[in-house]
């Protein structure tokens, strides 16, 4: 069982475009040999959305000096080409003392031909393939990484026997201590002394993935079989050192690695101005408390991710510890947390709540703060129940939390008249009033604010990184497996539109709403591909843009399932015209076009407002509005342009752990 399967949408219509997508970039004329299956789309959806998309689709912006960086999440941005390893073209490197056993590549990982394919997807067939490095990373400049491998794309492999003995965990723990800059404990029983319990702790996130899905013939197979919508990463837990892990469900992997045939990437997290020993202990402390009795949702495929803002995550932590208030967290299945959701709550609290009374008052207020601190630290309280020993004063942590670093305002005893932006919702009723007002739309939400409703700190501030909307999940898939840089704008556009059935179902919206949002984005992808063709041609050969557009039209006709017998007023024709209208403007513009790199930079800037608008689309009753897939933190490492962290948070890849019987010594 994968603990968070279904947290990302699967493009149900992907099978219908897999053959057609991509051909138009490679050749200026129709490719009849490129197989396709009709793309089902309701006539109502197409006709309702075509006119909405045409205006924005037809507008393209010529590059200007000093343009702003592309959007990732509201109020945040990152460098466009900032360390994205997924589309690296070259040979991967492997750091460390081990390599994958050739026998296990064949037997356990579906005939993987060499270690070069461990961590990649080979996409395509019949000689037209490309490599996507969805589970490889730019190796960081950390002490345990081989010096000659730093800055290159690959993996650092380490093994575990999963026995909880030094021979099993020593290499992993030593690597992480070096990554954190912490001197390892001098003895194996160091932490058994209560005076040392809080010292020299490891706390890292772990993300399990499926290397056996290393090849995929088309987008449909990639999405449905190869777990591409989840970047092949299907479980997230935490590593606490000495082969101990915590997970949701609590007994998943029996509190160990269980990494035989199911390897996991290990990430280290840091907060500016805080030494790693203190920050790790803060996370370790909170994790044990929230993991005790953790509730897993009955159907995690349809779980609603609620704790996507600081105020709700803090309410969850408060009410989990104050059990008389938090009965709903343990009895209402809609508040149960799947694997990555659980760990994201821990990380939000880790970064924002130092473990001391003064900080509790600042965060939770003058009434709830002391009560919560007492419930955590008193004999028989939450700490002792989850850690197995009484709280000691030296276990306190003191640092500037993320909310302060980002300039948010908490409770200040010297100025109690200034409202706190970060306080938790007072109770479930206040949370629901805010949530219902937001879901009802902008006008209803403004009325809620005008009537004095508490707005909280929003979805971007005070978080190590933001959650994802359904449109974000769509763009994750497109940017990874059908990217503008690697696959071209036509394939990217078709991949985006193929998400219609799943996003409609997850968000409880109609098809016209999806198309009115997605169609302008898809049209910009095609228009920017036209800018590249205008400057660079196809395969280095100059091609008249009109000829190239003819080939694109043919591919769109096949993707839409249009037949010669269909009438001219078939609504699908209106969709095709909306998708291609920007191409005509590119052709008429006197400019010379753009290089692919420049076109990509401009594309991201151009569609940024559309992506922000897509994130704010309200869904129907029961809609899944936000998501926290197991790959979320890894995306911040792999693609910081689309998934930037808070500027005060750092996440680095450390290693990939696998069963030691699947490794051999490096030659």
């Amino acid at each position: 069982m994968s603990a968070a399967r279904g947290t990302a949408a699967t493009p149900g219509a992907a099978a219908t475009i897999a053959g057609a997508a991509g051909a138009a970039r490679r050749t200026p004329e129709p490719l009849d040999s490129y197989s396709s299956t009709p793309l089902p789309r309701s006539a109502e959806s197409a006709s309702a959305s075509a006119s909405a998309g045409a205006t924005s689709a037809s507008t393209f912006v010529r590059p200007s000096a000093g343009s702003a960086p592309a959007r990732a999440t509201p109020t945040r941005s990152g460098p466009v080409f900032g360390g994205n390893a997924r589309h690296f073209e070259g040979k991967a490197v492997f750091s460390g003392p081990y390599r994958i056993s050739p026998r296990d590549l064949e037997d356990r990982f579906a005939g993987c031909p060499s270690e070069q394919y461990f961590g990649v997807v080979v996409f395509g067939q019949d000689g037209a393939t490309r490599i996507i490095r969805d589970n490889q990373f730019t190796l960081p400049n950390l002490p345990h990484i081989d010096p000659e491998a730093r800055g290159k794309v690959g993996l650092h492999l380490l093994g575990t026997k999963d026995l909880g003995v030094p021979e099993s965990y020593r290499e992993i723990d030593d690597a992480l201590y070096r990554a954190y800059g912490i001197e390892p404990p001098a003895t194996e029983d160091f932490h058994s002394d209560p005076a040392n319990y809080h010292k020299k702790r490891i706390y890292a996130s772990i993300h399990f993935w499926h290397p056996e899905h290393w090849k995929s013939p088309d987008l449909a197979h990639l999405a449905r079989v190869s777990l591409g919508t989840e970047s092949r990463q299907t479980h997230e837990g935490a590593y606490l050192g000495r082969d101990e892990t915590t997970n949701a469900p609590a007994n998943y992997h029996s509190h160990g690695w269980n990494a035989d045939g199911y390897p996991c990437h290990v990430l280290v997290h840091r907060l500016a101005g805080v030494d790693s020993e203190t920050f790790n202990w803060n996370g370790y402390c909170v994790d044990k408390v929230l993991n005790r009795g953790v509730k897993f949702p009955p159907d995690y495929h349809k779980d609603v991710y609620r704790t996507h803002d600081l105020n709700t995550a803090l309410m969850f932590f408060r009410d989990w510890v104050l059990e008389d208030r938090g009965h709903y967290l343990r009895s209402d299945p809609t508040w149960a947390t799947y694997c990555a959701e659980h760990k994201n709550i821990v990380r939000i609290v880790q970064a924002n709540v130092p473990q001391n009374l003064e900080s509790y008052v600042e965060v939770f207020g003058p009434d709830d703060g002391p009560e919560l601190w007492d419930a955590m630290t008193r004999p028989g309280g939450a700490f002792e129940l989850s850690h197995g020993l009484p709280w000691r004063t030296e276990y306190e942590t003191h640092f500037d939390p993320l909310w302060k670093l980002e300039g948010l305002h908490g409770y200040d005893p010297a100025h109690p008249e200034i409202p706190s932006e970060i306080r938790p919702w007072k109770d479930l009723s206040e949370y629901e009033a805010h949530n219902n007002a937001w879901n009802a739309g902008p006008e209803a939400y403004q009325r809620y604010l005008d009537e004095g409703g508490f707005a909280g700190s929003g979805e971007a501030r005070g978080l190590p990184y933001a959650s994802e909307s359904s449109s974000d999940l769509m763009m994750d898939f497109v940017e990874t497996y059908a990217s503008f840089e690697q696959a071209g704008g036509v394939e990217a556009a078709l991949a985006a539109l193929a998400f219609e059935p799943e996003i409609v179902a997850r968000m409880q919206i109609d098809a016209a709403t999806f198309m009115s949002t997605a169609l302008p984005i898809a049209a910009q992808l095609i228009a920017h591909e036209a800018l590249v063709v205008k400057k660079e041609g196809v395969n280095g050969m100059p091609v008249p843009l009109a000829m190239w557009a003819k080939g694109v039209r043919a591919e769109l006709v096949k993707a839409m399932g249009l037949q010669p017998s269909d009438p001219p007023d078939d609504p699908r024709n209106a969709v095709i015209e909306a998708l291609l209208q920007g191409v005509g403007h590119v052709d008429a513009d006197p400019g010379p076009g753009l290089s692919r790199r420049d076109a990509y930079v401009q594309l991201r800037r151009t569609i940024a407002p559309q992506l922000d608008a897509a994130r704010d689309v309200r869904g129907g009753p029961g809609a899944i509005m936000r998501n926290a897939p197991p790959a979320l933190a890894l995306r911040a490492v792999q693609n910081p342009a689309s998934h930037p962290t808070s500027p005060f948070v750092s996440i680095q890849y450390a290693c990939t752990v696998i069963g030691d019987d699947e490794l051999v010594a490096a030659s």
Side-chain angles (χ1 to χ4, degrees):
M1 170 185 150
S2 70
R5 294 274 291 277
T7 57
T10 300
T16 66
I17 66 165
R25 178 183 174 189
R26 293 192 300 272
T27 176
E29 52 192 48
L31 264 185
D32 296 333
S33 62
Y34 223 79
S35 61
S36 66
T37 312
L39 173 65
R41 183 172 314 323
S42 69
E44 293 80 10
S45 167
S47 60
S49 59
S51 60
T55 300
S56 348
S58 66
T59 305
F60 76 97
V61 183
R62 298 186 67 181
S64 59
S67 54
R71 163 266 179 208
T73 54
T75 76
R76 294 181 178 175
S77 61
V80 171
F81 288 86
N84 183 356
R86 297 174 301 178
H87 306 133
F88 168 71
E89 296 180 359
K91 189 175 181 180
V93 301
F94 289 84
S95 170
Y98 302 107
R99 301 294 182 265
I100 299 293
S101 159
R103 180 195 72 244
D104 286 292
L105 284 171
E106 175 67 31
D107 296 344
R108 306 192 78 165
F109 301 125
C112 187
S114 82
E115 66 179 12
Q116 285 293 314
Y117 295 91
F118 191 77
V120 311
V121 168
V122 179
F123 176 81
Q125 56 188 334
D126 299 331
T129 61
R130 63 176 181 267
I131 288 178
I132 299 110
R133 301 181 185 277
D134 59 348
N135 279 275
Q136 291 182 355
F137 304 87
T138 301
L139 297 177
N141 184 21
L142 292 174
H144 69 286
I145 302 292
D146 296 345
E148 65 274 14
R150 297 171 192 169
K152 298 179 181 179
V153 174
L155 295 170
H156 183 90
L157 301 173
L158 293 173
T160 177
K161 299 180 185 296
D162 215 2
L163 298 175
V165 296
E167 308 86 72
S168 175
Y169 60 71
R170 181 172 289 125
E171 287 184 316
I172 299 170
D173 287 11
D174 284 352
L176 291 174
Y177 278 125
R178 293 180 70 192
Y180 284 122
I182 299 173
E183 186 70 24
T187 61
E188 293 298 330
D189 62 352
F190 177 81
H191 289 121
S192 62
D193 182 350
N196 295 331
Y197 182 72
H198 62 301
K199 299 176 182 177
K200 300 180 182 296
R201 283 296 183 183
I202 288 171
Y203 188 73
S205 65
I206 53 178
H207 308 258
F208 292 80
W209 61 287
H210 290 269
E212 70 274 18
H213 296 303
W214 63 271
K215 60 180 177 179
S216 192
D218 53 48
L219 288 176
H221 185 277
L222 185 59
R224 294 173 175 172
V225 179
S226 297
L227 309 173
T229 54
E230 301 169 80
S231 301
R232 300 190 291 156
Q233 298 154 19
T234 52
H235 177 67
E236 178 179 352
Y239 181 56
L240 280 58
R242 301 171 69 95
D243 279 346
E244 180 186 0
T245 68
T246 58
N247 306 276
N251 61 351
Y252 194 59
H253 290 188
S254 302
H255 302 284
W257 290 103
N258 197 24
D260 288 350
Y262 193 21
C264 73
H265 304 306
V266 182
L267 304 184
V268 295
H269 301 246
R270 296 182 176 86
L271 181 64
V274 188
D275 65 274
S276 290
E277 188 171 0
T278 297
F279 193 56
N280 285 358
W281 166 242
N282 212 58
Y284 187 105
C285 178
V286 171
D287 187 290
K288 288 271 192 176
V289 170
L290 288 176
N291 195 246
R292 177 178 171 269
V294 63
K295 300 295 183 181
F296 193 79
D299 185 357
Y300 53 87
H301 294 88
K302 298 179 181 179
D303 184 77
V304 176
Y305 180 52
R306 298 178 184 268
T307 52
H308 52 80
D309 61 88
L310 177 59
N311 310 90
T312 308
L314 293 175
M315 181 183 78
F316 189 104
F317 176 68
R318 180 198 65 199
D319 292 356
W320 187 262
V321 175
L322 299 175
E323 295 189 20
D324 58 331
R325 293 197 196 183
H327 57 86
Y328 66 95
L329 296 177
R330 293 171 170 84
S331 61
D332 183 349
T334 69
W335 281 93
T337 55
Y338 58 82
C339 63
E341 179 180 18
H342 170 59
K343 294 310 178 191
N344 273 278
I345 297 170
V346 173
R347 264 195 295 284
I348 293 170
V349 177
Q350 176 191 15
N352 284 283
V353 186
Q355 298 302 302
N356 66 79
L357 176 58
E358 181 182 356
S359 292
Y360 270 51
V361 171
E362 285 184 310
V363 172
F364 298 100
D367 298 323
D368 288 348
E371 181 184 0
L372 183 60
W373 180 247
D374 178 68
M376 274 286 286
T377 60
R378 68 187 176 218
F383 179 88
E384 184 170 345
L385 287 172
S386 55
H387 288 260
L389 76 169
W391 176 265
R392 297 164 66 108
T393 302
E394 57 263 39
Y395 295 168
E396 290 186 2
T397 57
H398 297 265
F399 58 88
D400 284 339
L402 179 57
W403 62 268
K404 278 190 179 180
L405 296 174
E406 293 201 343
L408 292 167
H409 189 79
Y411 174 76
D412 183 353
H415 297 282
E417 72 281 3
I418 302 176
S420 169
E421 297 172 277
I422 65 162
R423 69 165 177 82
W425 309 108
K426 293 176 181 177
D427 50 33
L428 190 59
S429 295
E430 187 180 44
Y431 162 81
E432 290 176 341
H434 176 271
N435 194 53
N436 292 339
W438 190 92
N439 286 330
E443 292 184 3
Y445 188 61
Q446 188 58 53
R447 284 196 301 271
Y448 164 84
L449 296 177
D450 292 343
E451 293 168 1
F454 178 53
S457 56
E459 291 191 83
R461 298 192 298 169
L463 303 179
Y465 45 83
S467 63
E468 294 188 307
S469 66
S470 292
S471 61
D472 293 326
L473 296 176
M474 175 186 77
M475 293 305 295
D476 286 336
F477 184 84
V478 171
E479 289 188 340
T480 301
Y481 301 106
S483 67
F484 181 85
E485 312 102 297
Q486 193 178 44
V490 177
E491 181 170 348
L494 291 172
L497 293 178
F499 269 78
E500 178 190 315
E502 290 300 323
I503 290 183
V504 163
R506 290 176 71 81
M507 293 188 64
Q508 298 294 298
I509 59 176
D510 57 33
T513 299
F514 169 83
M515 287 293 285
S516 67
T517 303
L519 188 61
I521 295 171
Q524 288 289 355
L525 285 161
I526 293 176
H528 281 76
E529 183 67 21
L531 284 165
V532 177
V533 172
K534 188 172 187 178
K535 183 176 182 66
E536 300 182 349
V538 175
N539 295 330
M541 299 294 293
V543 175
L545 204 54
M547 181 183 295
W548 175 81
K550 182 180 179 182
V552 175
R553 180 180 294 276
E555 294 305 318
L556 295 176
V557 166
K558 287 194 292 185
M560 298 294 170
L562 280 165
Q563 302 297 322
S565 58
D566 290 326
D569 60 352
D570 188 302
R572 289 170 293 181
N573 282 314
V575 173
I576 292 174
E577 293 305 319
L579 288 170
L580 290 175
Q581 193 169 10
V583 177
H585 286 263
V586 171
D587 198 18
D589 186 82
L594 295 172
S595 68
R596 183 159 298 280
R597 180 186 178 94
D598 289 343
Y600 178 59
V601 172
Q602 179 180 290
L603 170 68
R604 291 180 57 83
R605 183 174 66 248
T606 302
I607 66 175
Q610 296 165 333
L611 291 173
D612 285 336
R615 188 177 176 86
D616 284 338
V617 170
R618 270 58 165 178
I624 301 173
M625 298 297 298
R626 296 293 183 259
N627 308 267
L632 188 54
L634 287 153
R635 288 168 181 161
V637 175
Q638 279 194 318
N639 188 18
S642 293
H643 296 279
T645 64
S646 162
F648 302 100
V649 169
S650 168
I651 309 175
Q652 288 180 298
Y653 168 82
C655 61
T656 297
V657 172
I658 192 169
D660 74 332
D661 61 337
E662 297 167 323
L663 297 174
V664 295
S667 57

